[in-house]
Amino acid sequence: MLNRALRETYPPGSTFKVVTAAAALEDGLYTDIDAKTKSPLPFRLPQTSQNLDNEGNIPCENASLREALRYSCNTVFGKISDDLGNQKMIDAADKFGFNKEVFTPVRADASIYPKDNPPQNAMAGIGQASNRATPLQMAMVASAVANDGKLMQPYMVAERQAPNLDVIYTHEKEQLSQPLSGENAQKLQQMMETVVDKGTGTNAKIQGVTVGGKTGTAQHGLNNSENPYAWFISYAKTDSGSPVAVAVVVEDSDANRDDISGGGLAAPSRRRSCRQSSTARSDATHTGLHIGTRGYRSDIRYRLRADQVVRGR
């Protein structure tokens, strides 16, 4: 059976806008998340006569980073990716773990942010074109934001015991990279929490828990002919303990196309997962990978603590 949380890559859709926002903040392209951006409406893809559209009539012209993430503005983040250029976008994605295999110690396929031409780079900046990611990778993105910019090595085994229960191995936590500064991570936390509070991710709200997230509805198939993938990445935190980061992908070939969205399908699934985590912190520590398949529908989740303590169960 294919371990799709580790071995399958999907277009991440709008969940990747979290990485694009981080790239903009780290580069200094934008520093104030509530200031207007230079984002025309419509935004024409570079070197083409094709406009990049938004999903519906939403307020994206010159929208701030916070509002652009709240409404999931393709035009704003496509323009940011184009302004930064392909190499800076690759560098930013690399710091989150893209373009290399991850070992937990089980091998996870490399997620890919590709070298590409300007129009394709603009599309990759909103999680489309040749941009592909595993659920584990996008959980790592959410965890790095929740962990104040520190990306830790994910792992599935915290310790091993001999038959007499003596501990013969204990995993030592290891930082992989620092994709963004603590200050910029906190700005991105504010943006993701706005998404859940009053944006596209309100279905992920949990009473008494601070939740930040980003929805995604990723186009799939030639000319978007197949049902899209519904994504949601997020973290949940309380006043005590480490935040829990989650990535959910829903594949549903039997669903009505118009009913598929990250906020409609994936976010409620994530809420159920994290409600369990927030009420039983030890369970979150011990839970690694969960894959559920029902008929043609596959609900793929990867859940881990922001400090990446992940044990196999």
Side-chain angles (χ1 to χ4, degrees), residues 13-267:
S14 291
T15 62
F16 191 81
K17 291 171 183 173
V18 172
V19 177
T20 303
L25 290 168
E26 284 296 290
D27 181 75
L29 179 67
Y30 296 108
T31 57
D32 184 347
I33 63 173
D34 293 310
K36 289 185 176 181
T37 59
K38 298 176 181 178
S39 307
L41 189 65
F43 168 62
R44 180 164 293 181
L45 290 170
Q47 302 177 358
T48 76
S49 58
Q50 179 70 42
N51 288 336
L52 177 59
D53 296 324
N54 293 308
E55 189 67 30
N57 184 24
I58 50 180
C60 292
E61 184 173 8
N62 299 324
S64 68
L65 287 180
R66 186 197 298 269
E67 292 299 286
L69 201 71
R70 173 189 175 189
Y71 287 104
S72 201
C73 295
N74 293 335
T75 49
V76 174
F77 290 101
K79 176 70 160 47
I80 286 173
S81 188
D82 183 50
D83 287 344
L84 292 173
N86 187 230
Q87 190 56 56
K88 286 185 178 180
M89 287 299 298
I90 291 172
D91 292 344
D94 284 354
K95 291 177 183 177
F96 279 101
F98 278 74
N99 298 316
K100 52 184 172 290
E101 292 180 337
V102 178
F103 293 86
T104 64
V106 178
R107 181 181 65 83
D109 279 357
S111 299
I112 302 299
Y113 191 95
K115 287 189 175 183
D116 221 327
N117 58 43
Q120 290 296 293
N121 177 65
M123 292 297 294
I126 63 168
Q128 295 291 164
S130 297
N131 187 346
R132 300 188 66 80
T134 62
L136 169 62
Q137 173 61 71
M138 297 313 295
M140 290 168 64
V141 169
S143 72
V145 174
N147 200 33
D148 290 336
K150 299 183 183 73
L151 178 63
M152 308 297 288
Q153 170 69 46
Y155 61 95
M156 300 180 73
V157 179
E159 68 176 28
R160 293 198 298 266
Q161 295 178 342
N164 65 359
L165 302 184
D166 286 346
V167 175
I168 58 176
Y169 167 82
T170 301
H171 180 82
E172 294 184 5
K173 291 186 286 186
E174 175 186 356
Q175 183 173 336
L176 283 180
S177 64
Q178 180 91 30
L180 66 169
S181 69
E183 179 183 2
N184 286 333
Q186 289 168 17
K187 291 178 181 179
L188 201 41
Q189 288 171 25
Q190 294 176 47
M191 293 164 59
M192 293 176 70
E193 287 162 21
T194 298
V195 169
V196 173
D197 183 49
K198 54 183 179 181
T200 59
T202 55
N203 281 334
K205 285 184 179 180
I206 304 172
Q207 186 174 0
V209 179
T210 299
V211 180
K214 182 69 192 81
T215 55
T217 308
Q219 295 180 356
H220 172 49
L222 183 63
N223 295 322
N224 195 22
S225 58
E226 304 292 335
N227 275 353
Y229 299 121
W231 277 88
F232 194 68
I233 66 169
S234 61
Y235 61 84
K237 58 185 179 181
T238 59
D239 292 336
S240 60
S242 298
V244 177
V246 179
V248 177
V249 185
V250 178
E251 299 178 71
D252 198 340
S253 60
D254 203 34
N256 185 319
R257 182 185 182 89
D258 292 337
D259 293 337
I260 299 175
S261 69
L265 285 180

